[in-house]
Amino acid sequence: MAKVSMTVNGKSVSHEAEGRTLLVQFLRENLNLTGTHVGCDTSQCGACVVHVNGEAVKACTMFAAEAEGAEVTTIEAVENDDGSLSVVQQAFQDYHGLQCGFCTPGMVMSATALLKDNPKPSEQEIRDYLQGNICRCTGYHNIIKAIMAASGQDVSSIAAE
């Protein structure tokens, strides 16, 4: 066991962890931040996406020790400073970009990273970016609309699938 220290959602944290502890396990089990979901254990679904030093990362692909000294942001810290939903979260709600909600934290984290790097993505750019995220409920149509709406784009031309 080694002590792992990082900043998570703006707070310094330090906990003992085995070398094989994945970042997703560290967040969920050591810090009780359960919004980061474990969906597949094989890096296929994207339910565990968090931001590490500002970049979207699948937390099941990274050991906690690799995040030593890093700035980690989870879904629990995505809301606005006043506690209201972020623009991406609000768009997911407004455009019904979720059903069961299991994939939603990873989708929101991925969408937030995309919009940081590409503030006005096309529908195809969103689809390409989300290839690492799986949703088994929505069929992606409303997720795409939500992300486009969050970017301030008109979604009325997106045809129903």
Side-chain angles (χ1 to χ4, degrees):
M1 298 276 268
K3 186 165 276 215
V4 178
S5 300
M6 62 188 79
T7 301
V8 179
N9 299 335
K11 297 177 184 163
S12 294
V13 298
S14 187
H15 283 277
E16 297 284 325
E18 292 184 36
R20 64 183 176 171
T21 302
L22 297 172
L23 180 57
V24 68
Q25 295 168 311
F26 185 82
L27 295 169
R28 290 180 61 81
E29 296 168 16
N30 292 79
L31 304 181
N32 201 33
L33 295 171
T34 58
T36 303
H37 293 159
V38 179
C40 65
D41 282 329
T42 59
S43 183
Q44 302 296 312
C45 74
C48 66
V49 173
V50 297
H51 297 173
V52 177
N53 295 327
E55 299 295 322
V57 171
K58 290 181 180 177
C60 74
T61 65
M62 182 176 197
F63 292 113
E66 291 179 286
E68 175 70 35
E71 296 272 342
V72 178
T73 305
T74 70
I75 190 68
E76 286 87 353
V78 172
E79 76 274 353
N80 295 319
D81 291 338
D82 66 1
S84 63
L85 297 177
S86 73
V87 67
V88 173
Q89 291 171 309
Q90 188 64 56
F92 267 71
Q93 180 178 351
D94 293 345
Y95 290 89
H96 310 288
L98 59 106
Q99 284 183 17
C100 83
F102 192 82
C103 73
T104 306
M107 289 284 187
V108 168
M109 297 303 288
S110 291
T112 301
L114 168 62
L115 295 179
K116 181 187 93 177
D117 294 338
N118 184 355
K120 299 284 185 202
S122 68
E123 181 179 348
Q124 189 58 51
E125 288 171 323
I126 294 169
R127 289 182 184 279
D128 290 344
Y129 194 86
L130 293 181
Q131 285 183 355
N133 293 76
I134 295 174
C135 175
R136 291 174 176 90
C137 298
T138 68
Y140 301 93
H141 180 69
N142 289 339
I143 293 170
I144 305 302
K145 284 178 86 170
I147 295 169
M148 289 194 78
S151 73
Q153 298 182 72
D154 179 24
V155 298
S156 62
S157 65
I158 298 177
E161 292 179 358

